[in-house]
Amino acid sequence: AEHPDSPLPSHKYNMATIAQSDLVGFTEMSSQRTPEEVVKVIEELFNIFDDLTDKYGVYKIETVGDAYIAGMAEQPLTPRHSVVTVLRFALTMVEKTEAWSRRQGEDVRLRVGVHCGECVGGVVGKDMQRYHLFGSICSVLDILEGTSSPGSVQISTACFNAMQQELGVTWGEKVLELLNCRVVGRTEENLRTSKGEIHFYSEVCGLTYFLLPLQTVQRHRTH
């Protein structure tokens, strides 16, 4: 048996693709609901996302408040690694959130950031052990998600290049057909969060791109 003071297991992933999402409009909606109603809303949406992780074979890493983080990497995180699969998962999350909002008559939308890179995964804690990812990929994801637009998936240059390589296409070619989305390169001088915080492209390792589900293209607005 392992000694209780033995280091907990960890693993270095040479290439992981992680999606981090946040519910836009959730805070405003929550202020008008009871705590029980807020819990029910989160449960409904996260159950939808959980079903999508099963559908796409994506690993659910953690939830923090109304943020949902999931992705793929080489074993042992997931049996296989596919950038395109994570992007399809993220795009479907956006679409399912929009569909839920229409059914409920709510103005809640999802914004997502996706990045590819190396990281370390490991179990932390003694009593309530959790599996976490560590590395610069986490700070990049925070910025990509925070500066994304409602109803869209913002991806890094690394993710964009890996997507093209996996799809076997170049910029713009067949991406709409293969992913059922539109790709838009960002042209603003800097990245900006909804709270007005400014970030530089260098913080996310290069230029970024929006993936817009076709259903949401008409509603898309950049900051």
Side-chain angles (χ1 to χ4, degrees):
E2 285 191 0
H3 190 277
D5 293 326
S6 298
L8 293 170
S10 64
H11 183 84
K12 180 179 180 180
Y13 298 104
N14 294 314
M15 177 59 77
T17 303
I18 309 299
Q20 179 170 312
S21 68
D22 186 63
L23 293 167
V24 181
F26 179 77
T27 302
E28 291 80 359
M29 185 199 69
S30 299
S31 66
Q32 303 168 16
R33 301 292 188 92
T34 66
E36 291 78 13
E37 289 173 329
V38 172
V39 169
K40 183 180 178 182
V41 167
I42 282 288
E43 183 180 19
E44 286 181 11
L45 286 168
F46 282 8
N47 282 344
I48 292 172
F49 299 161
D50 288 346
D51 288 342
L52 293 179
T53 63
D54 292 336
K55 176 181 177 180
Y56 289 100
V58 172
Y59 182 78
K60 176 183 178 181
I61 299 167
E62 65 177 329
T63 60
V64 182
D66 60 330
Y68 193 102
I69 306 168
M72 302 180 85
E74 67 262 30
Q75 295 184 21
L77 190 70
T78 50
R80 68 186 186 96
H81 173 241
S82 166
V83 176
V84 172
T85 298
V86 176
L87 293 177
R88 287 187 172 130
F89 163 75
L91 287 163
T92 309
M93 289 175 78
V94 171
E95 293 169 348
K96 293 289 187 181
T97 302
E98 303 250 335
W100 178 90
S101 292
R102 288 194 299 270
R103 289 195 306 270
Q104 302 295 326
E106 299 287 355
D107 187 22
V108 174
R109 307 182 74 191
L110 197 71
R111 66 176 178 228
V112 189
V114 184
H115 183 48
C116 299
E118 65 178 26
C119 62
V120 172
V123 178
V124 296
K126 285 189 175 181
D127 297 328
M128 296 182 65
Q129 292 187 340
R130 300 280 301 277
Y131 191 82
H132 287 278
L133 296 183
F134 301 91
S136 62
I137 192 172
C138 299
S139 58
V140 172
L141 279 169
D142 283 340
I143 297 171
L144 288 171
E145 176 266 300
T147 60
S148 186
S149 285
S152 67
V153 177
Q154 181 171 215
I155 66 174
S156 62
T157 292
C159 187
F160 177 77
N161 292 338
M163 173 192 74
Q164 289 192 116
Q165 182 176 2
E166 186 174 334
L167 289 174
V169 299
T170 54
W171 163 253
E173 179 191 343
K174 291 188 177 179
V175 172
L176 187 148
E177 176 187 343
L178 294 169
L179 282 176
N180 198 32
C181 72
R182 181 182 169 205
V183 182
V184 179
R186 296 199 73 160
T187 58
E188 302 96 320
E189 184 177 353
N190 297 305
L191 299 170
R192 188 183 298 267
T193 70
S194 58
K195 297 179 180 178
E197 299 167 352
I198 294 175
H199 291 278
F200 302 106
Y201 288 106
S202 59
E203 296 178 70
V204 292
C205 310
L207 297 176
T208 67
Y209 304 82
F210 282 129
L211 301 188
L212 309 174
L214 294 185
Q215 298 94 315
T216 67
V217 166
Q218 296 303 318
R219 296 177 60 185
H220 173 67
R221 296 289 185 274
T222 56
H223 291 299

